[in-house]
Amino acid sequence: MVRREVIKHTRSVLQTEPTKHMSSEPTPLSPQERRAIRIIPYIVGCALFMQMLDSTVVATALPMMAASLNTDAIRMNTIITSYLLAVAVFVPVSGWAADKFGARRVFIAAILLFTLSSLACAISQSLNQLIAARIVQGLAGAMMVPVGRIILLRRTPKSDLLSAMAILSLPALLGPIVGPPVGGFFVTYFSWHWIFLINIPVGLLGIALVLRYIRADLPNEAPPLDWLGFFLSAMALACLVVSFESIGHSELSPKQLALLFGTGLITATWYIWHAKHVAFPIIDLSLLRTRSFAISIFGGNLCRFSLGSVPFMLALLLQLGFGMSALAAGLVTFTSAVGAIVIKPLAPRIIRRFGYRNVLMYNALLTGLFIALCGFFSESTPLWWMSCILGVGGVFRSLQFTAVNTLTYADLDQQAMSRASSFAAMAQQLGISLGVACAAITLNISMHWHQHAQVHTQDLFWGFIVIGGLTAISFFSFKRLPQQAGASLQNKKSS
């Protein structure tokens, strides 16, 4: 007990010391600084654009990539989960790195590494080479987006945070819009290798914008990196996600699977104990004591199950199930992102009008419903009807993530933003990774049950039903929010 009190005291003293990044009373800003603050969401959005473009392009190209690399289409989900898992493993270091070396410097280095690793993906000649390049991409993404979000959170007043987050998502949503048709075009008329080269000009543009509009920041007095905590959390995440994903592939024996899963549970339990006995754990579990943060993490992650799994299943359904070309499938699926971007300017007003609790609760049910409806698509379904379902579903999904992403930080002070951003980003990537793995497991179980040698539309039907149901279940998590949740973010009237 004495040691725990000392740790709490050490945390409180070091975390409340004023820094050059986070002064309690901000100095007046010049017109140039105010302009830079308004542009920051778009700059960070360039990083999100690369991530979203990359993920949607990859999902569209999976069947063609599988044929080129002589592997099964469902097995190709490893190039998605390997990236997402790498992000989840390394993202807890992002907050420490931003404090230790300066957020701007880390942000630029991460964009550069992401761009170079995209080139490595493009020249890969085997599945193993591609997975290795994707892991490096994940490491870069683990630093890129969370550190960019830290820059935004540090410099944006809370009254402007809802609008800033909505703006931040706009460039990111261009990725899903551009990704499917552009990726389909390259895959159909050239080769899948070209889809990764799209990131190169975007990365160079992002670096130029950072150098132009984000002023250099001095490193903080960062605490020592929690190396043991990093090892334990990395082992826990890797073992649990890989074992969960391997259930459907039958690539591991029952003993191997049990050993992997048991190792994940042991290291996770060890980390929970470890985090309570060090001053600065790499993943600060004490943040979960803030109710809005905890509910946003758990409920939001159930919703994020759809982010990776739905594009993955749509690509299989439209190309393998209905025989569409990659370009035609991309033109159908991009309507989901159109719906998402249409609602973005209205999302802050809707949230202010109805409140976070009501929006998150009932919109979760609608989001899950429209995901499940995708399972009823057939070869005879008109393209306009598919596009309508995907477009309206994109509206609800976009509104859901705008609300949950801002509510995550509603009740936290500035000193907690770096730790909260790292925690939330790690949890988000873990949720997306588990969603892809869950979809793959559902497809494999259905294929085994129905004795299908290849994935069938009947198998994909159950995949959409399961992911839609898991999204809808988040209703019960958001129901625990108080009626006035997020009130501090609704003070500013919409313009």
Side-chain angles (χ1 to χ4, degrees):
M1 289 298 293
V2 174
R3 183 182 181 185
R4 187 170 297 179
E5 291 301 321
V6 171
I7 290 172
K8 289 181 179 178
H9 176 70
T10 305
R11 287 183 185 177
S12 64
V13 169
L14 294 180
Q15 289 169 2
T16 55
E17 287 183 351
T19 68
K20 295 182 180 181
H21 297 303
M22 298 179 236
S23 58
S24 58
E25 295 184 10
T27 57
L29 299 175
S30 67
Q32 293 80 5
E33 288 176 319
R34 285 195 294 269
R35 182 186 177 194
I37 289 175
R38 289 195 299 269
I39 294 176
I40 285 175
Y42 296 99
I43 297 175
V44 181
C46 282
L48 286 171
F49 176 84
M50 284 199 297
Q51 278 199 329
M52 297 303 296
L53 181 68
D54 189 77
S55 62
T56 52
V57 166
V58 168
T60 304
L62 284 181
M64 297 291 290
M65 294 171 72
S68 173
L69 298 174
N70 298 316
T71 187
D72 183 75
I74 297 180
R75 186 71 182 89
M76 290 297 295
N77 80 304
T78 54
I79 70 170
I80 299 177
T81 54
S82 61
Y83 169 82
L84 296 172
L85 183 57
V87 174
V89 167
F90 289 104
V91 79
V93 184
S94 62
W96 173 85
D99 289 336
K100 180 72 174 179
F101 303 105
R104 180 177 180 264
R105 186 181 301 170
V106 174
F107 192 38
I108 293 173
I111 295 176
L112 179 60
L113 181 60
F114 192 91
T115 305
L116 293 176
S117 59
S118 296
L119 178 61
C121 289
I123 62 177
S124 297
Q125 300 299 314
S126 68
L127 179 59
N128 289 335
Q129 290 178 9
L130 184 57
I131 290 174
R134 291 284 285 174
I135 291 173
V136 177
Q137 250 191 341
L139 189 156
M143 298 294 167
M144 185 171 66
V145 174
V147 172
R149 189 182 293 114
I150 288 172
I151 293 173
L152 184 146
L153 291 170
R154 285 176 174 176
R155 302 193 63 189
T156 303
K158 272 198 175 182
S159 59
D160 295 328
L161 189 57
L162 178 56
S163 297
M165 282 294 189
I167 293 172
L168 170 63
S169 300
L170 283 172
L173 287 171
L174 292 175
I177 289 177
V178 175
V182 171
F185 174 80
F186 279 123
V187 171
T188 301
Y189 296 105
F190 297 97
S191 72
W192 63 264
H193 304 84
W194 288 89
I195 64 177
F196 294 103
L197 297 175
I198 302 173
N199 288 330
I200 295 176
V202 179
L204 296 177
L205 174 62
I207 292 174
L209 289 174
V210 173
L211 292 173
R212 174 67 178 84
Y213 290 105
I214 298 180
R215 56 181 167 81
D217 56 329
L218 296 177
N220 284 338
E221 291 295 329
L225 182 62
D226 178 18
W227 285 106
L228 177 59
F230 172 71
F231 171 77
L232 293 175
S233 61
M235 282 288 293
L237 290 171
C239 290
L240 291 175
V241 171
V242 172
S243 62
F244 184 66
E245 181 188 31
S246 299
I247 293 174
H249 293 301
S250 302
E251 294 181 352
L252 299 177
S253 67
K255 289 184 178 180
Q256 291 173 326
L257 188 61
L259 178 61
L260 194 64
F261 186 73
T263 302
L265 286 181
I266 292 171
T267 51
T269 304
W270 188 356
Y271 178 79
I272 293 173
W273 178 88
H274 168 79
K276 295 178 180 178
H277 293 81
V278 294
F280 295 98
I282 194 160
I283 301 174
D284 190 354
L285 300 179
S286 67
L287 291 169
L288 295 174
R289 297 171 189 164
T290 303
R291 190 175 185 182
S292 59
F293 182 83
I295 293 175
S296 297
I297 293 297
F298 292 121
N301 272 13
L302 285 174
C303 295
R304 290 186 184 92
F305 271 32
S306 65
L307 284 181
S309 60
V310 170
F312 167 63
M313 292 189 293
L314 280 174
L316 297 179
L317 178 67
L318 297 178
Q319 295 182 53
L320 299 183
F322 300 165
M324 291 185 182
S325 68
L327 177 59
L331 291 173
V332 172
T333 56
F334 96 102
T335 54
S336 176
V338 172
I341 202 169
V342 165
I343 196 62
K344 272 299 175 184
L346 301 176
R349 296 184 182 184
I350 295 172
I351 294 169
R352 291 187 179 107
R353 171 65 179 84
F354 297 101
Y356 279 90
R357 183 176 184 270
N358 290 332
V359 168
L360 288 169
M361 283 171 53
Y362 300 109
N363 198 63
L365 298 176
L366 292 171
T367 302
L369 172 64
F370 275 84
I371 292 172
L373 287 176
C374 296
F376 292 90
F377 291 164
S378 67
E379 290 186 78
S380 61
T381 304
L383 291 180
W384 67 266
W385 181 244
M386 288 186 193
S387 299
C388 285
I389 295 295
L390 294 174
V392 176
V395 167
F396 293 125
R397 187 167 62 251
S398 177
L399 179 60
Q400 191 75 1
F401 292 133
T402 298
V404 77
N405 286 344
T406 49
L407 182 63
T408 302
Y409 307 100
D411 299 320
L412 299 175
D413 56 29
Q414 288 294 322
Q415 284 75 22
M417 288 303 183
S418 293
R419 293 174 290 126
S421 179
S422 298
F423 192 138
M426 179 273 296
Q428 289 168 14
Q429 297 300 324
L430 180 61
I432 299 172
S433 179
L434 288 175
V436 176
C438 185
I441 288 174
T442 304
L443 296 182
N444 276 279
I445 291 175
S446 179
M447 289 172 62
H448 179 74
W449 181 266
H450 295 102
Q451 298 182 347
H452 293 154
Q454 299 292 331
V455 65
H456 191 272
T457 54
Q458 188 178 19
D459 308 316
L460 290 160
F461 167 81
W462 288 111
F464 285 113
I465 293 296
V466 168
I467 297 299
L470 290 172
T471 301
I473 287 174
S474 66
F475 168 92
F476 297 101
S477 180
F478 296 125
K479 189 176 181 181
R480 296 173 53 234
L481 287 168
Q483 195 66 42
Q484 298 302 316
S488 62
L489 302 178
Q490 303 180 57
N491 294 331
K492 187 174 179 180
K493 295 181 180 179
S494 56
S495 56

